[in-house]
Amino acid sequence: MQAIAGVATKRYAVVLSDVHIGSGTPTCWYQPAVHERPLSEALAWILARRDTIREVVLLGDMFDVWTYPPTMRPPGMREIIAANPVMLGPGGPLAALARALPGEVRLLLGNHDGSLTRADIAALNASLGAPIELVSAPWRVV
């Protein structure tokens, strides 16, 4: 870590992709009983290093509205939040990260969550009680 006049500089960007949080349907890749703990640990690891992290990028497919049986209507964001209250609630690890790095947690959509809208992300942010920025085209590369 570099220091400028005794102040630590934030020099790292952390990128997470393909988490696939969904409604918990058996066809979803993310199953809370299996994946919530390791994801929580990864977010806690980032949180513990927040003094050196300048940005967290959720790079595509953080959520999943695609891996559902053809006969099933894919869930909306509110259903995904309801199915994952620990991870996506105000006391959860994603909320803690968004609060610790205000304005520095960004979401880019992928092919599994590309149909989510700004209103969906507003619902997520309301559930978290902290903002995650939805980045839309043109993308910014740092």
Side-chain angles (χ1 to χ4, degrees):
M1 179 168 54
Q2 299 173 344
I4 299 172
V7 177
T9 58
K10 294 186 173 207
R11 59 188 283 204
Y12 297 108
V14 176
V15 180
L16 297 174
S17 71
D18 295 282
V19 177
H20 294 278
I21 299 171
S23 67
T25 301
T27 56
C28 288
W29 297 345
Y30 179 92
Q31 294 293 314
V34 175
H35 299 105
E36 187 170 83
R37 181 176 174 192
L39 179 56
S40 294
E41 290 171 354
L43 296 174
W45 185 91
I46 297 166
L47 191 59
R49 289 153 181 81
R50 68 182 167 270
D51 291 341
T52 62
I53 295 175
R54 62 180 163 80
E55 177 175 38
V56 176
V57 179
L58 307 174
L59 185 59
D61 299 339
M62 181 70 179
F63 303 99
D64 204 316
V65 295
W66 196 25
T67 56
Y68 297 88
T71 57
M72 181 182 176
R73 181 186 58 81
M77 180 55 77
R78 293 185 195 288
E79 293 165 296
I80 292 172
I81 293 166
N84 298 278
V86 173
M87 183 57 62
L88 304 179
L94 188 56
L97 185 67
R99 279 192 304 274
L101 295 166
E104 302 303 329
V105 180
R106 296 178 174 88
L107 172 68
L108 284 84
L109 300 177
N111 62 322
H112 284 242
D113 56 11
S115 63
L116 296 178
T117 65
R118 289 200 178 278
D120 292 319
I121 304 312
L124 172 64
N125 289 342
S127 178
L128 295 173
I132 290 177
E133 175 190 352
L134 176 62
V135 178
S136 56
W139 295 282
R140 175 175 64 118
V141 177
V142 178

